[in-house]
Amino acid sequence: MPIGLIALALGGFGIGLTEFVIMGLLPQVAAGFHVSEATAGWLISGYALAVVVGALVLTAAVTRFERKPVLAVLMVLFIAGNLVSALAPDYWTMMIGRIIAALAHGAFFGIGAVVAASMVAPHKKAGAIAIMFTGLTAANVLGVPFGTMLGQAAGWRSTFWAITAIGIVALAGILTLVPKTGSGQAASGGLRSELRAFRSGQVWLSILVTILGYGGMFGAFTYIAFTLTEVTGFSASTVPWLLILFGVGLFIGNTIGGKAADKNVDRTLLVVLAALVVVLVVFALTAGNQPMTIASMVLLGGFGFATVPGLQMRVMKYASSAPTLASGANIGAFNAGNALGAWLGGVTITAGLGSTSPIWAGAGITVLGLGVMAFAAAGAKRLSARRTDAETASGSENQPAAVEPAKVSL
């Protein structure tokens, strides 16, 4: 394994921690700034929206530059955002810090995925992307619980100081361990070529699968605390530990999903999305049973995140020689899926459909994602067959014509 992947994973760990740890610290942040928890919640929504903007705009702006320095600058931006958050004297300064850090999020994962794939052989690209995203899963398993405990014990600002320190270490790792990989412009001819990648219908279908597939999982996860306490009957104090089980599932699914996608991306995504639908349906039907709920939590995380390396790899594959902007756009699509799932889950709860309704909504979204994936896979198969036929025909035309042996008259 290239050691540079560890530096990328550490950067992913810090970014994942910044995104998710705020959820456990909202009461302290709200009290510190004298705002309601609903207002404090905009620190989460504002971050997610800024991720989408950064994934598209910032990635497009840096495609002509060499990728390694770009990653370093993005990590500096991430450090600056968390430093502003740690020092914020008021709510709106905190919001600015969150937005600065979020702008680095989408571009870092989008460009980092391209860099990670470039470090390994072609048949190991999805696995390399999975290693980078291991940092994100580790942030959920270890970072969020311990970051929350640190914030509760020493004040919420201490958590952001710790994240700032992680960012500095990741920056040092990127500068010393990540090899030079060229620039998007050098590889593809600049932003115009990057934009041409979006002419591919397969790129758009892949992005749509990302929104629907990941949105289904996140829709169920966003309101999981209500399900666990109001339906399953767990006490509120056990919820953080149950979320660790979800994080363990993320870690396992990310690793296995990456290895499977290296063998066959489309087949892996079809199988994983179908399994995710089954898990969500079973979870919704058995949410009142504690052992089944524990198993469902692990499987939800596992199959939900097993899609990530394959989805990212698929977008890069069909973006061909200009994958940087498409990769960043797909990172934005993950966050768009988060927003879609959370919104639809909230709609079902507001409508009085109960605390398992977000899980059913997630299953419905995932079914749509599975349908789009099946359509995309069939189209890709037809495209591959046409190319094979064309290459065969071209090869036949280039073969020298057969010459009959000369007839000799006696």
Side-chain angles (χ1 to χ4, degrees):
M1 178 182 68
I3 194 168
L5 292 176
I6 297 176
L8 295 176
L10 183 59
F13 177 81
I15 290 173
L17 190 54
T18 299
E19 180 177 17
F20 295 115
V21 77
I22 187 72
M23 297 176 185
L25 297 175
L26 276 185
Q28 289 83 2
V29 172
F33 290 135
H34 306 290
V35 298
S36 68
E37 289 196 17
T39 301
W42 279 100
L43 295 171
I44 299 172
S45 303
Y47 184 97
L49 292 174
V51 169
V52 177
V53 173
L56 295 172
V57 178
L58 202 54
T59 303
V62 300
T63 53
R64 69 180 185 273
F65 298 110
E66 187 181 335
R67 291 179 182 128
K68 177 178 176 177
V70 167
L71 287 174
V73 171
L74 290 171
M75 192 50 58
V76 170
L77 191 65
F78 167 78
I79 293 167
N82 281 285
L83 189 59
V84 170
S85 296
L87 294 170
D90 55 53
Y91 172 82
W92 287 110
T93 305
M94 176 74 169
M95 178 66 82
I96 291 171
R98 294 284 292 167
I99 290 173
I100 292 172
L103 289 173
H105 179 131
F108 182 88
F109 277 112
I111 296 171
V114 177
V115 172
S118 72
M119 292 186 194
V120 298
H123 66 282
K124 295 183 178 180
K125 289 183 181 293
I129 294 171
I131 291 173
M132 185 189 71
F133 277 97
T134 296
L136 188 61
T137 60
N140 281 276
V141 178
L142 300 173
V144 171
F146 287 104
T148 301
M149 286 189 282
L150 174 63
Q152 291 173 343
W156 63 265
R157 294 180 189 274
S158 64
T159 300
F160 287 93
W161 281 112
I163 297 172
T164 301
I166 291 170
I168 293 172
V169 175
L171 174 61
I174 289 169
L175 291 173
T176 57
L177 301 177
V178 174
K180 293 183 178 180
T181 58
S183 66
Q185 186 177 43
S188 62
L191 180 58
R192 184 174 297 178
S193 292
E194 292 283 345
L195 290 171
R196 276 201 296 268
F198 290 94
R199 294 179 181 177
S200 168
Q202 288 292 335
V203 168
W204 286 107
L205 287 171
S206 299
I207 289 174
L208 183 56
V209 174
T210 296
I211 293 172
L212 296 173
Y214 200 70
M217 183 271 284
F218 206 83
F221 176 68
T222 300
Y223 301 95
I224 199 69
F226 295 100
T227 304
L228 294 175
T229 55
E230 296 177 11
V231 180
T232 316
F234 286 110
S235 65
S237 61
T238 63
V239 171
W241 302 106
L242 292 170
L243 294 182
I244 292 178
L245 293 177
F246 175 80
V248 170
L250 294 181
F251 184 86
I252 296 171
N254 178 61
T255 303
I256 296 175
K259 292 180 179 179
D262 272 326
K263 297 178 181 178
N264 190 308
V265 173
D266 285 1
R267 183 172 59 202
T268 296
L269 290 173
L270 287 169
V271 170
V272 170
L273 286 170
L276 182 57
V277 171
V278 173
V279 169
L280 286 165
V281 170
V282 172
F283 189 8
L285 292 173
T286 63
N289 183 289
Q290 291 189 351
M292 286 296 296
T293 294
I294 290 173
S296 295
M297 288 282 290
V298 177
L299 293 174
L300 177 62
F303 286 110
F305 217 82
T307 61
V308 173
L311 287 169
Q312 196 68 16
M313 186 63 210
R314 195 176 199 278
V315 166
M316 290 165 56
K317 173 184 176 181
Y318 288 103
S320 188
S321 60
T324 307
L325 185 57
S327 178
N330 202 50
I331 297 298
F334 282 114
N335 283 270
N338 292 355
L340 171 65
W343 170 77
L344 190 56
V347 168
T348 62
I349 288 181
T350 303
L353 300 178
S355 295
T356 59
S357 59
I359 306 176
W360 286 111
I365 297 172
T366 307
V367 167
L368 292 177
L370 177 60
V372 175
M373 185 62 232
F375 177 78
K381 192 173 182 179
R382 288 193 299 270
L383 179 62
S384 178
R386 284 198 299 268
R387 286 177 177 173
T388 301
D389 291 342
E391 290 171 0
T392 301
S394 177
S396 299
E397 291 173 1
N398 293 329
Q399 290 295 322
V403 179
E404 287 187 9
K407 295 182 179 179
V408 181
S409 297
L410 295 175

